Amino acid sequence: MAIGQFVSSEDIAVGGHLWRVNYYPNGDSKDNDGEYVSIFLKLADKSKNVKAIFEAFMMDKDGQPSKSHKRKRAISEFPTDGCNEDWGWKQFVERCHLLPDCVADDASRSCAGSF
């Protein structure tokens, strides 16, 4: 996928609100030259003054949550003006770390030139 293109989850109902996770496998903007995976939580309904804790992690090649590719955001308030901006990480994980740590059938590829 091109930089800026994302895969979106289905709507997820949590805490009386609808949420969506947007995953950018090559990053959300050209600022990082496609070297990072970006991930964002989006409030999918029109609610205002919503507070949330967001935790995200990659799965390792053994199917377990990765301890090195995990992030958590403390309680944050989503915008009160109804614009419902995304909230997450532009540099969630460096893409070159995904192959050796998270991809079981291609773990021998190196970072340089592997994408």
Side-chain angles (χ1 to χ4, degrees):
M1 295 180 75
I3 295 171
Q5 291 184 332
F6 62 93
V7 176
S8 186
S9 71
E10 299 287 326
D11 286 351
I12 304 162
V14 177
H17 301 283
L18 292 177
W19 305 88
R20 188 174 302 128
V21 176
N22 292 333
Y23 170 74
Y24 297 77
N26 292 302
D28 70 318
S29 68
K30 295 185 181 193
D31 297 345
N32 295 308
D33 201 26
E35 294 180 16
Y36 291 89
V37 167
S38 302
I39 188 167
F40 296 94
L41 180 67
K42 181 175 182 67
L43 183 60
D45 60 30
K46 302 291 183 194
S47 300
K48 297 180 181 180
N49 299 319
V50 177
K51 293 182 181 181
I53 297 173
F54 179 39
E55 183 174 12
F57 56 87
M58 301 296 288
M59 300 294 283
D60 68 20
K61 59 187 169 188
D62 298 323
Q64 299 299 313
S66 171
K67 294 178 182 170
S68 60
H69 303 310
K70 177 180 174 179
R71 302 268 180 103
K72 184 175 182 176
R73 297 288 298 251
I75 296 174
S76 284
E77 190 167 333
F78 278 76
T80 58
D81 60 4
C83 66
N84 295 342
E85 297 174 358
D86 292 350
W87 183 62
W89 300 275
K90 294 177 79 56
Q91 296 180 349
F92 180 70
V93 65
E94 213 171 347
R95 291 185 69 232
C96 69
H97 293 283
L98 294 180
L99 287 175
D101 295 344
C102 301
V103 180
D105 62 345
D106 206 357
S108 63
R109 291 172 67 180
S110 67
C111 290
S114 62
F115 303 103

